[in-house]
Amino acid sequence: MTIDECPISVDELKKQLRLTTDDFDQQLETSLLAAAEWCERYSGRKLDSFEELPNQLRAAVLMVAAGMFENPTDSISERTTAAQRLADPLIWQEATT
């Protein structure tokens, strides 16, 4: 996925983080793309498979991207995060017939 293919813009992430500067755009792009790819893998759905990205998945990507940007170290999560609940694969499974 490229930044142009991502259904969420760097400007949306900046609003989430309350950033007004362009100084961190490259880091924000990296965090946003990594979060979008995480959400695809976790939910089992490509973000571009939706006609319009559901708000729950949009929020999950923004939460993960913000977390990666604000805390760029590796962390251990022993509890289910809000982003994991929003991107729950059981919710986003495509119907099979």
Side-chain angles (χ1 to χ4, degrees):
M1 176 184 302
T2 66
I3 199 66
D4 294 328
E5 297 168 333
C6 188
I8 300 167
S9 70
V10 170
D11 287 336
E12 287 178 83
L13 181 55
K14 283 181 180 179
K15 286 179 187 175
Q16 175 85 5
L17 292 164
R18 297 176 182 89
L19 286 176
T20 56
T21 180
D22 296 333
D23 294 347
F24 303 104
D25 280 5
Q26 185 59 48
Q27 290 166 291
L28 291 169
E29 283 183 20
T30 300
S31 296
L32 183 58
L33 290 174
E37 290 169 2
W38 171 87
C39 194
E40 286 183 337
R41 281 192 314 278
Y42 190 81
S43 70
R45 292 280 301 270
K46 292 286 190 185
L47 298 181
D48 64 5
S49 71
F50 296 97
E51 197 169 305
E52 185 176 329
L53 188 64
N55 288 329
Q56 280 183 256
L57 291 179
R58 179 176 299 282
V61 171
L62 287 169
M63 283 181 197
V64 172
M68 288 177 172
F69 177 76
E70 291 177 335
N71 185 17
T73 61
D74 197 14
S75 61
I76 297 172
S77 178
E78 295 180 2
R79 296 194 172 134
T80 303
T81 65
Q84 287 172 321
R85 289 184 189 271
L86 291 169
D88 188 331
L90 296 176
I91 296 171
W92 302 109
Q93 287 179 2
E94 289 190 76
T96 57
T97 55

